[in-house]
Amino acid sequence: VTSGGGRMYVTMDRYENDWDVVKRGWDAQVLGEAPYKFKSALEAVKALRAEPKANDQYLPAFVIVDESGKSVGPIVDGDAVVTFNFRADRMVMLAKALEFADFDKFDRVRVPKIKYAGMLQYDGELKLPNKFLVSPPLIERTSGEYLVKNGVRTFACSETVKFGHVTFFWNGNRSGYFDETKEEYIEIPSDSGITFNEQPKMKALEIAEKTRDAILSGKFDQVRINLPNG
């Protein structure tokens, strides 16, 4: 272990909601720079967990350093990098930073020449990443596709961090509509730059209002939403 941090705070943002999260991971993993430095991962976790109100998901970024205070394992030219996570949504942004030449979301400072692969291809439309270890499953005849193609008018809504759960994932890892004349998707922008434990209300009211309007409109046969608060 050469660097780390909590998954809600370091590296693993979703749906381009907060690029600062990815930047904190890039700085630690690639540049070997972080606000906290330790001699071992055990020391890091013990020290950071001892802080008041410490929470695994929100631990700050840290790096492991040698006796001279230098990072023991930054990503450098010639390295092989594999990223893996069960769900794709938390991997896409990091994959863009590692692979895209014209990346402009934050200053990467340096871009190491690496051999990079994902466990899966996280975005089939963007072909991201270009190299992957396991072919993504082909998911057909999802309930969303089946209902729409049988004339069932559908409405889907959530805030940014869960929008994919009622659209992309729901539809078998597929972006866009099956039939724009029978579907309506509404994304409420999530709070950015503030952690959800500090803003637990999130966008529940806005999602509820849009859902109420959809039901009262009488336009839809199926309404699906995701309230992320729980």
Side-chain angles (χ1 to χ4, degrees), residues 5-18:
R7 75 176 186 126
M8 299 292 286
Y9 193 68
V10 180
T11 305
M12 299 181 72
D13 189 44
R14 293 173 288 182
Y15 311 121
E16 306 203 30
N17 189 53
D18 188 351

Side-chain angles (χ1 to χ4, degrees), residues 84-202:
F84 61 94
N85 189 52
F86 180 69
R87 290 206 331 244
D89 56 341
R90 288 192 183 274
M91 290 282 94
V92 171
M93 294 164 70
L94 176 63
K96 287 180 178 179
L98 287 168
E99 190 152 293
F100 283 2
D102 57 351
F103 181 84
D104 62 358
K105 301 301 183 180
F106 59 82
D107 182 3
R108 293 180 288 186
V109 181
R110 65 177 179 84
V111 183
K113 295 180 176 65
I114 59 173
K115 291 185 183 298
Y116 170 50
M119 184 64 73
L120 293 171
Q121 187 167 70
Y122 305 120
D123 190 316
E125 290 174 287
L126 291 177
K127 306 299 181 189
L128 189 74
N130 185 51
K131 294 183 172 64
F132 49 93
L133 305 184
V134 180
S135 296
L138 179 62
I139 304 171
E140 298 179 306
R141 290 176 57 81
T142 62
S143 61
E145 180 181 14
Y146 182 80
L147 293 171
V148 168
K149 289 187 176 179
N150 280 277
V152 176
R153 301 164 302 169
T154 64
F155 173 86
C157 177
S158 189
E159 62 178 278
T160 304
V161 294
K162 293 290 184 180
F163 183 65
H165 292 244
V166 290
T167 56
F168 180 80
F169 292 136
W170 185 278
N171 293 333
N173 295 341
R174 180 186 180 280
S175 298
Y177 294 101
F178 290 111
D179 185 342
E180 289 187 34
T181 66
K182 296 185 178 67
E183 297 176 278
E184 183 177 343
Y185 299 164
I186 292 183
E187 176 184 353
I188 310 294
S190 289
D191 293 314
S192 183
I194 182 169
T195 54
F196 302 128
N197 57 333
E198 295 174 6
Q199 186 79 349
K201 183 190 290 187
M202 302 175 73

